[in-house]
Amino acid sequence: MMENKKIEYHVGELAEYFGVSRDTLRLYDKMGILSPVKNAQNGYRVYSRADFICLDYIMRLKSLNMPLEDIKMMINDCTIERAEAVMQVQDKILEDKIEELKNLQMVVRDYQKSFSKAIQNMGQITIEESETLIYKEVGTSMKETMAEFNRLTSTHVAKFTFVAPKDRYFDDRIWEKIIDPEVRREFLSYAITLVDDEQFTHHQDFPRDTFQVIPPQKCVHATLKTYTNRDYSDFVRIKDYIKANGFMLTGNPIFRTISVRNNSQQSVDYYEFWAPIE
């Protein structure tokens, strides 16, 4: 263990004591944050007791996620008044970062809730009232479409959604060939949907010229599982259930993407299915 009351320290000693790499200390030297002096007798670069204390301060500033350029300024040319101002700026940066992380946490929880619900409902077909959905067809750019939703909220998951036309939904000729990607591409259209948990649609400034609002309605609901380009029996099963029970579609059935596993051996997708009925 290094003696911490020495008069001078070599780079390896200081690096080991503070738990950083030699390259880190060399970077600080190169940037002018903390530069050792050369020992006149042996030519080795050594750090003084003052450098030892300074490095402790540098490490504390670094732990605040401060950029190295700001640390350099605080070490080399900073009054106590300016240091206070720098900390005020850093406080605002961290405050914004905390807000960003809170938003991301809410998105993660939204995904978690969706996955949990899918696990609980797997294999079940129910009749229930849907939630209010904010809906927008995907135009020529997915980026632009998602940007519209991102302007609306950064804390909830807008899901990629397949839409089946109700007037062709019971066409058995389509379902016999549904495994064919070209058939699915021609049959299903693309949209983005968002559950209106925060009642955005009740706000006066909600952009109704941008989004379509699908109100709560009686639906056939299920969690569906498919094996890409191999098995769409869940899609067929839910179609047969609706037809066998004599339900009349009042709107287009939708398949909201829950989870996607894409690999060369076995790709699996999970969907949240809603079909409005009377």
Side-chain angles (χ1 to χ4, degrees):
M1 182 177 295
M2 187 191 79
E3 170 58 52
N4 61 10
K5 293 186 178 180
K6 294 173 62 175
I7 296 176
E8 59 182 34
Y9 308 87
H10 296 298
V11 61
E13 293 177 312
L14 212 60
E16 181 180 1
Y17 189 82
F18 282 94
V20 298
S21 68
R22 295 184 182 210
D23 287 341
T24 295
L25 294 183
R26 292 189 184 103
L27 174 62
Y28 293 169
D29 182 10
K30 183 178 180 180
M31 292 185 63
I33 297 174
L34 182 66
S35 297
V37 298
K38 183 180 290 187
N39 187 305
Q41 296 179 345
N42 56 27
Y44 291 139
R45 291 187 175 274
V46 295
Y47 293 87
S48 67
R49 180 67 182 167
D51 292 331
F52 179 97
I53 296 171
C54 185
L55 182 57
D56 176 75
Y57 185 47
I58 291 169
M59 298 305 295
R60 294 176 190 278
L61 296 177
K62 188 70 169 60
S63 71
L64 303 177
N65 288 335
M66 290 188 66
L68 290 180
E69 287 295 338
D70 287 353
I71 293 175
K72 176 182 176 180
M73 181 272 295
M74 290 190 68
I75 294 297
N76 292 316
D77 184 27
C78 191
T79 64
I80 193 70
E81 290 80 11
R82 190 174 182 187
E84 181 191 23
V86 170
M87 284 301 173
Q88 288 178 352
V89 172
Q90 188 66 12
D91 180 65
K92 181 61 169 63
I93 291 173
L94 292 176
E95 184 178 328
D96 292 343
K97 187 66 175 178
I98 289 169
E99 186 65 25
E100 179 184 348
L101 290 173
K102 285 182 178 179
N103 289 344
L104 288 177
Q105 184 182 47
M106 291 185 70
V107 173
V108 167
R109 288 175 176 174
D110 220 12
Y111 271 115
Q112 186 179 16
K113 177 182 176 182
S114 178
F115 295 160
S116 178
K117 183 178 179 182
I119 293 169
Q120 293 173 6
N121 294 336
M122 195 70 64
Q124 301 180 29
I125 300 176
T126 59
I127 308 298
E128 57 186 89
E129 186 173 81
S130 65
E131 299 173 282
T132 300
L133 287 178
I134 299 172
Y135 175 102
K136 183 174 178 61
E137 292 183 359
V138 176
T140 56
S141 169
M142 176 64 77
K143 180 180 179 181
E144 292 178 4
T145 305
M146 286 304 302
E148 297 285 358
F149 281 91
N150 291 337
R151 280 191 282 271
L152 188 65
T153 177
S154 61
T155 60
H156 295 282
V157 179
K159 294 182 177 179
F160 186 80
T161 302
F162 290 106
V163 183
K166 69 173 183 177
D167 58 341
R168 301 176 60 199
Y169 184 69
F170 296 111
D171 188 339
D172 289 333
R173 292 171 300 177
I174 294 174
W175 293 104
E176 289 170 359
K177 300 178 180 179
I178 199 65
I179 197 171
D180 186 338
E182 285 301 312
V183 171
R184 296 197 303 276
R185 182 190 63 80
E186 190 276 332
F187 177 53
L188 302 170
S189 58
Y190 301 159
I192 304 295
T193 56
L194 174 73
V195 174
D196 189 19
D197 285 335
E198 301 294 326
Q199 296 188 326
F200 297 112
T201 55
H202 292 188
H203 299 171
Q204 288 187 348
D205 59 351
F206 177 75
R208 295 186 177 276
D209 57 337
T210 300
F211 300 105
Q212 177 182 342
V213 179
I214 302 178
Q217 52 194 323
K218 181 182 177 183
C219 287
V220 175
H221 174 255
T223 297
L224 307 182
K225 178 180 180 180
T226 69
Y227 297 87
T228 308
N229 297 330
R230 296 185 184 182
D231 184 357
Y232 289 84
S233 56
D234 267 10
F235 278 24
V236 177
R237 180 172 63 91
I238 198 73
K239 181 267 299 183
D240 290 343
Y241 173 88
I242 295 172
K243 187 174 183 179
N245 284 274
F247 294 126
M248 298 293 294
L249 294 176
T250 59
N252 296 331
I254 63 173
F255 306 80
R256 304 185 70 224
T257 304
I258 299 172
S259 173
V260 174
R261 185 179 75 199
N262 186 18
N263 60 54
S264 59
Q265 295 179 336
Q266 183 173 280
S267 297
V268 181
D269 299 338
Y270 294 88
Y271 297 96
E272 177 187 354
F273 174 82
W274 295 94
I277 58 172
E278 62 178 10

